[in-house]
């Protein structure tokens, strides 16, 4: 390259020529200027001199102290520097808006790459996108870079940000692009792809650094002061394990100092609540390489939480007229041929279990591994599959009898375990796994019953969320894309089903949104997104209407008219899976579960050997009524016992000394260390059972200490 001479660009001073109303501007020296009409967010139309920039108009609207990072021109995101020469609408994009924070993050990624390349001239920037909670940039040839180097890079970033350097968009020809990035094979690869696809590109430069990018970006590095680098990891070029290994640096940015502070403390809090860490500390679950990645071993303490939740959900299923069923973990390939899960979607499935006889025959015929693998891919094989979905099994239960309209709605529920092949890089704790148990159910209903049944599904979710203190959730209703023809089923039926989902969602009294184009091809759906106590959103499960599978399996019922009709299916797994839901709950409660879910509800601790007998008596009285109680009547000091056991977060500890033993009382210790002394054991037991039976979200048998 080397023909490129980046120059320092000063942010040019702002001159706004504006005329309110329709009178023509008085041009200096009588020279007429060409004007454009610009519609502002409040609907007013101002006249500006043609050639004004979007940023100048934003300043005119918002004042100089605005928090905008770019502009929306006729609904399209543009840099502040973009020149306007025809009538349009203009609006500022606030750094606090979703679009604005995205632009900040992406701009911060550029700043990061500039800082890294100035400190490590050999490092080659590859890609650096904005992500959900911040941004990252992947670098090649940045070896031996660790957490300790982050500080230096961050310092450099702040230094560049303070310089208030203009960020400029430059249009480039194809050959210029190739020249500019000739020393970076990664960028060249991207450029090649873009050029092949017929898409040109632009670069953005700040000072002597530049990056391939379509923008938009902030207009000055000064907008990027509130930035922090958070971690380093490795990644593969283009996510491909067979390609170069890269160093990935993560960071976060916010529009203001206060917002950054709040985000940093939320990250700290999230780290403390990480279910993978708490899962280990509290001994809730285990993943063992010898068993397999993404396959959860529920240890006794975690299994208690899962069982309690399942029992709770089951109780409500029974009340709502569901029938619980059990089905096997595998099914014949033919079953999944009918459902459409095989041979499609093999990428997300464990490979089929080929039948023994068939294997023997193939071996006899001299079939090679390559041939076998091709047959599998094409689906030309007999055997079984680990079930990726419970639906086909439940459908066969429906079809096992002749059904009449009197049987409908038929609601079949199962905590059904399914297996999916997640890429190993995607597997994480309880939330991305390869085997999981859905809180699944399938409802076979008539057209008229859809609305009521969808509502019933949603009511169940509300009850459970309320019991868990998850009052902050929203609902997304996935509808057809009006321009697509990919959907099965008649359009009038869709209208009805969509209306049913809409009205069910709106009856909730929570935030809900319509998402056109987000329906499955077989029917509209409702998704639940819950916000935990520290403000993070978790997508849980779904309720889906389905016109497709009843068709594929030729399901029928006899109507009141004596004719045969096709039922509609509703799939619902509102909490997604027990694994994911428990993962979310561990973080939501930070491991401090409500008494009804706590693996240990009461830990009984004796102060000295004199209370051993009393301790045993108390523990066995608790166990006798079904309380999960543990006893430590060992020789450690009471201080040591408390420290040892509190890390498992029992809802309560009972401290037993001479006074307690003499008067048949207990001293109740809450998780925060507050104590309530001299409580008669009978009273404690009565209150405890009430707290458990009422599923109280926060243990509250010890009143908060008065100041
Ligand atoms: Zn960019
Ligand atoms: Zn299903």
């Amino acid at each position: 390259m080397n023909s490129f001479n980046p120059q320092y660009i000063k942010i040019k001073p702002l001159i706004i020529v504006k005329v309110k109303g329709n009178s023509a501007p008085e041009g200096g020296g009588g020279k007429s200027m060409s004007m454009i009409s610009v519609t502002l967010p409040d609907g007013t139309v101002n006249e500006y001199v043609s050639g004004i920039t979007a940023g100048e108009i934003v300043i005119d609207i918002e004042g100089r102290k605005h928090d905008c990072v770019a502009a929306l021109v006729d609904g399209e995101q543009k840099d502040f520097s973009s020149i306007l020469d025809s009538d349009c609408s203009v609006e500022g994009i606030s750094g606090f808006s979703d679009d604005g924070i995205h632009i900040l993050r992406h701009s911060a990624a550029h700043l990061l790459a500039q800082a890294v390349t100035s400190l490590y001239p050999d490092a080659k920037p590859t890609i650096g996108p904005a992500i959900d909670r911040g941004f990252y940039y992947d670098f090649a040839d940045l070896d031996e870079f660790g957490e300790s180097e982050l500080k230096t890079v961050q310092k450099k970033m702040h230094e560049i940000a303070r310089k208030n350097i203009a960020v400029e968009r430059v249009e480039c020809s194809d050959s210029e692009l190739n020249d500019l990035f000739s020393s970076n094979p990664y960028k060249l690869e991207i450029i090649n792809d873009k050029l092949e696809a017929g898409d040109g590109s632009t670069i953005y430069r700040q000072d002597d650094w530049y990056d391939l990018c379509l923008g938009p970006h902030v207009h000055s590095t000064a907008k990027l002061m509130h930035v922090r680098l958070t971690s380093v990891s490795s990644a593969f070029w283009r996510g491909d394990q067979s390609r170069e290994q890269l160093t990935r640096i993560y960071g976060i940015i916010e529009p203001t100092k206060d917002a950054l502070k709040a985000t940093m403390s939320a990250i700290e809090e999230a780290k403390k609540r990480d279910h993978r860490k708490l899962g280990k500390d509290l001994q809730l679950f285990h993943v063992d390489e010898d068993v397999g990645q993404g396959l959860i071993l529920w240890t006794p303490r975690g299994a208690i939480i899962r069982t309690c939740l399942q029992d709770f959900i089951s109780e409500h299923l029974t009340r709502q007229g569901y029938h619980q069923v059990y089905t096997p973990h595998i099914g014949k390939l033919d079953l999944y041929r009918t459902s459409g899960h095989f041979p499609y979607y093999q990428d997300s499935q464990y490979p089929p279990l080929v039948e023994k006889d068939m294997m023997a025959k193939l071996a006899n015929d001299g079939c090679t591994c390559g041939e076998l693998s091709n047959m599998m891919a094409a689906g030309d094989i007999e055997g079984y599959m680990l079930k990726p979905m419970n639906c086909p099994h439940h459908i066969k239960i429906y079809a096992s009898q002749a059904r009449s309209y009197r049987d409908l709605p038929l609601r079949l529920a199962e905590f059904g375990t399914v297996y999916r092949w997640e890429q190993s890089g995607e597997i994480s704790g309880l939330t991305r796994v390869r085997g999981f148990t859905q809180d699944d159910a399938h409802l076979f209903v008539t057209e008229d019953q859809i609305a009521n049944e969808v509502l019933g599904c949603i009511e169940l979710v509300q009850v459970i969320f309320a019991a868990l203190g998850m009052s902050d959730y929203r609902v997304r209703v996935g509808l057809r894309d009006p321009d697509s023809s990919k959907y099965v089923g008649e359009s009038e039926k869709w209208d009805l089903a969509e209306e049913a989902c809409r009205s069910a969602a709106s009856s909730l009294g929570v935030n809900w949104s319509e998402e056109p184009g987000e329906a499955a091809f077989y029917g509209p759906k409702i998704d639940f997104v819950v916000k935990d106590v520290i403000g993070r959103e978790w997508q849980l499960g779904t309720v889906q209407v389905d016109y497709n599978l009843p068709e594929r399996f030729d399901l029928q019922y006899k109507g009141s008219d004596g004719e045969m009709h096709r039922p509609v299916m509703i799939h619902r797994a509102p909490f997604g899976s027990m694994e994911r839901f428990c993962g979310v709950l561990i973080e939501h409660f930070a491991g401090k579960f409500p008494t009804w879910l706590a693996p240990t509800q009461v830990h009984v601790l004796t102060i000295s050997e004199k209370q051993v007998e009393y301790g045993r008596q108390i523990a066995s009285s608790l166990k006798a009524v079904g309380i999960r109680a543990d006893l430590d009547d060992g020789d450690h000091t009471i201080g040591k016992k408390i420290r040892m056991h509190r890390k498992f977060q029992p809802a309560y500890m009972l401290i037993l000394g001479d006074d307690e033993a003499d008067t048949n009382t207990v001293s109740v210790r809450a998780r925060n260390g507050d104590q309530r002394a001299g409580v008669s054991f009978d009273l404690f037991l009565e209150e405890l059972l009430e707290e458990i039976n009422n599923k109280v979200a926060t243990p509250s048998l010890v009143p908060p200490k008065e100041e």
Side-chain angles (χ1 to χ4, degrees):
M1 66 151 224
N2 314 325
S3 60
F4 184 71
N5 276 321
Q7 64 189 84
Y8 196 92
I9 304 169
K10 288 245 158 38
I11 296 171
K12 66 173 177 172
L14 192 70
I15 308 153
I16 298 174
V17 181
K18 176 183 72 172
V19 177
K20 293 227 157 91
N22 279 331
S23 58
E26 300 286 327
K31 216 168 130 204
S32 75
M33 285 185 232
S34 109
M35 304 297 288
I36 56 171
S37 303
V38 177
T39 309
L40 307 184
D42 65 0
T44 40
V45 179
N46 278 353
E47 301 282 313
Y48 294 94
V49 169
S50 174
I52 191 170
T53 63
E56 285 162 340
I57 293 180
V58 169
I59 291 176
D60 191 36
I61 307 171
E62 307 274 346
R64 284 194 173 272
K65 288 203 156 166
H66 66 82
D67 59 21
C68 297
V69 294
L72 215 52
V73 178
D74 284 340
E76 221 181 294
Q77 293 184 14
K78 294 281 187 192
D79 296 313
F80 273 174
S81 62
S82 38
I83 290 172
L84 308 179
D85 52 13
S86 60
D87 295 353
C88 56
S89 67
V90 175
E91 181 177 341
I93 302 176
S94 161
F96 288 99
S97 69
D98 287 354
D99 288 344
I101 192 79
H102 186 89
I103 292 168
L104 277 175
R105 286 168 179 162
H106 183 69
S107 299
H110 280 216
L111 180 65
L112 165 60
Q114 183 182 6
V116 166
T117 47
S118 84
L119 293 167
Y120 305 88
D122 291 338
K124 294 187 179 58
T126 66
I127 56 156
I131 52 173
D132 231 7
R133 308 199 145 257
F135 61 91
Y136 69 78
Y137 214 118
D138 285 349
F139 298 92
D141 302 326
L142 180 62
D143 301 330
E144 283 163 45
F145 186 96
E147 303 275 340
S148 46
E149 278 74 31
L150 287 180
K151 271 248 146 18
T152 323
V153 175
Q154 186 175 295
K155 207 170 140 219
K156 190 79 191 167
M157 289 170 75
H158 284 136
E159 191 184 309
I160 302 170
R162 264 196 300 273
K163 282 190 190 162
N164 188 15
I165 301 168
V167 179
E168 193 207 14
R169 177 188 176 91
V170 186
E171 306 280 340
C172 292
S173 70
D174 298 355
S175 67
E176 279 170 333
L177 285 178
N178 277 310
D179 276 355
L180 285 169
F181 295 97
S182 59
S183 59
N184 184 331
Y186 304 92
K187 294 287 182 191
L188 286 179
E189 193 175 319
I190 299 172
I191 291 169
N192 248 333
D193 291 351
K194 281 185 186 289
L195 298 186
E196 250 170 45
D199 305 333
S201 193
T202 50
I203 64 163
Y204 274 76
R205 69 169 157 167
Q206 49 208 45
D207 221 343
D208 58 353
W209 188 82
Y210 54 88
D211 200 355
L212 183 70
C213 184
L214 290 171
H217 278 287
V218 296
H219 68 290
S220 158
T221 58
K223 283 273 176 191
L224 308 174
M225 281 303 294
H226 310 295
V227 68
R228 282 281 180 289
L229 295 182
T230 50
S231 61
V232 187
S233 71
S234 62
F236 290 98
W237 171 231
R238 304 213 133 165
D240 182 344
Q241 298 194 17
S242 66
R243 305 206 56 184
E244 295 85 344
Q245 193 164 11
L246 309 171
T247 301
R248 175 170 294 180
I249 303 178
Y250 286 97
I252 55 168
I253 183 161
E254 294 293 343
T256 61
K257 198 172 165 186
D258 286 348
L260 179 65
K261 218 165 125 189
T263 304
M264 290 302 294
S265 58
I267 288 175
E268 276 313 304
E269 186 58 36
K271 264 189 205 159
K272 274 189 240 157
R273 288 169 180 261
D274 188 325
H275 75 274
R276 291 164 298 188
K277 178 181 181 295
L278 287 176
K280 198 175 275 171
D281 294 351
L282 300 173
Q283 297 175 1
L284 300 177
F285 67 94
H286 176 61
V287 178
D288 196 297
E289 279 298 322
D290 287 348
V291 175
Q293 272 191 58
L295 298 171
I296 303 300
L297 302 171
W298 291 82
T299 48
R301 300 177 59 81
I304 287 171
I305 296 169
R306 173 169 162 173
T307 307
C308 289
L309 269 178
Q310 282 189 192
D311 289 350
F312 178 45
I313 297 172
S314 295
E315 190 187 307
H316 285 277
L317 288 175
T318 309
R319 267 187 219 166
Q320 284 206 349
Y322 283 78
H323 306 284
Q324 298 220 38
V325 298
Y326 295 100
T327 65
H329 288 227
I330 62 172
K332 274 193 176 170
L333 288 176
D334 254 347
L335 182 70
Y336 299 106
R337 281 197 181 93
T338 309
S339 71
H341 293 111
F342 185 82
Y344 312 105
Y345 308 114
Q346 285 189 74
D347 283 353
S348 58
Q349 293 164 0
Y350 279 87
L353 311 160
V354 182
E355 263 176 10
K356 262 192 197 158
D357 291 352
M358 178 153 188
M359 278 296 237
K361 185 177 176 306
L362 289 173
N364 260 338
D365 296 349
C367 171
T368 66
C369 290
E371 283 160 355
L372 178 63
S373 147
N374 288 341
M375 288 168 73
M376 278 200 190
D380 296 335
I381 207 157
E382 286 319 311
Y384 291 82
M385 194 155 102
L386 279 172
K387 72 176 168 189
M389 302 276 227
N390 300 303
C391 346
H393 290 72
H394 293 183
I395 286 174
K396 288 296 179 187
I397 293 178
Y398 174 91
S400 65
Q401 291 176 35
R403 302 289 179 181
S404 98
Y405 68 97
R406 288 193 194 88
D407 300 326
L408 306 189
L410 180 69
R411 310 179 188 92
L412 302 180
E414 178 180 15
F415 291 98
T417 305
V418 297
Y419 299 89
R420 312 245 175 103
W421 187 260
E422 293 273 0
Q423 293 302 314
S424 60
E426 318 255 291
I427 291 175
S428 170
L430 293 173
T431 48
R432 295 295 290 274
V433 290
R434 283 181 176 160
F436 53 93
T437 303
Q438 294 178 312
D439 57 316
D440 211 358
H442 293 94
L443 288 71
F444 300 85
V445 306
T446 66
E447 299 269 333
D448 309 340
Q449 291 166 340
I450 295 175
N452 245 332
E453 292 306 311
V454 168
L455 197 61
C457 295
I458 288 192
E459 279 167 1
L460 176 75
V461 176
Q462 267 188 312
V463 170
I464 311 256
F465 277 174
L468 294 166
M470 299 175 122
S471 54
D472 200 354
Y473 62 99
R474 64 191 175 89
V475 166
R476 292 192 302 227
V477 181
L479 306 171
R480 269 171 306 182
D481 171 356
D483 298 329
S484 170
S485 57
K486 69 172 182 181
Y487 304 99
V488 301
E490 295 154 35
S491 162
E492 305 81 66
K493 290 183 176 176
W494 268 81
D495 290 342
L496 282 175
E498 288 186 342
E499 192 42 46
C501 290
R502 259 195 219 105
S503 72
S506 67
S507 72
L508 282 173
V510 299
N511 243 329
W512 69 284
S513 59
E514 292 186 19
E515 319 254 322
E518 291 300 308
F521 75 91
Y522 50 77
K525 64 170 181 176
I526 294 176
D527 288 330
F528 300 92
V529 182
V530 65
K531 202 178 249 183
D532 68 14
V533 275
I534 58 168
R536 291 169 307 168
E537 289 204 318
W538 299 85
Q539 149 105 53
L540 294 177
T542 167
V543 176
Q544 299 193 343
V545 181
D546 183 359
Y547 294 104
N548 178 48
L549 286 181
E551 195 79 38
R552 295 186 80 113
F553 282 91
D554 193 21
L555 299 184
Q556 295 190 321
Y557 67 90
K558 190 179 224 165
S560 54
D561 55 3
E563 303 287 316
M564 297 312 282
H565 297 270
R566 181 92 64 220
V568 181
M569 268 176 84
I570 299 172
H571 309 249
R572 43 117 284 176
F575 308 109
S577 72
M578 298 315 290
E579 285 74 9
R580 185 172 176 77
F581 195 42
C582 285
V584 172
L585 286 182
I586 293 170
E587 303 207 1
H588 176 69
F589 291 117
K592 300 181 174 95
F593 283 95
T595 311
W596 69 278
L597 283 174
T600 302
Q601 293 172 316
V602 179
H603 211 129
V604 180
L605 312 179
T606 53
I607 291 181
S608 78
E609 62 191 9
K610 284 189 280 170
Q611 299 92 36
V612 168
E613 195 42 47
Y614 184 54
R616 287 181 185 169
Q617 194 189 314
I618 292 283
S620 65
S621 306
L622 289 166
K623 286 182 189 166
V625 291
I627 307 284
R628 296 185 290 273
D630 288 331
L631 168 68
D632 186 344
D633 57 5
D635 296 336
H636 293 300
T637 63
I638 188 69
K640 172 125 200 226
K641 286 180 185 175
I642 290 172
R643 281 194 301 281
M644 274 163 42
H645 302 303
R646 80 175 162 202
K647 67 177 186 202
F648 292 107
Q649 302 288 2
Y652 299 105
M653 290 186 185
L654 296 185
I655 316 282
L656 307 181
D658 279 342
D659 282 356
E660 285 78 12
D662 290 346
T663 54
N664 205 27
T665 59
V666 292
S667 183
V668 189
R669 187 182 195 279
R671 282 175 177 139
N672 65 1
D674 287 352
Q675 287 203 26
R676 177 177 160 200
V679 187
S680 96
F681 176 67
D682 291 342
L683 177 64
F684 170 72
L685 187 56
E686 188 185 315
E687 289 178 357
L688 182 69
L689 288 171
E690 198 175 299
E691 181 166 283
I692 293 169
N693 292 335
N694 293 333
K695 302 198 164 49
V696 174
T698 316
S700 41
L701 299 191
V702 179
K705 220 189 283 170
E706 304 221 351
E707 291 298 308

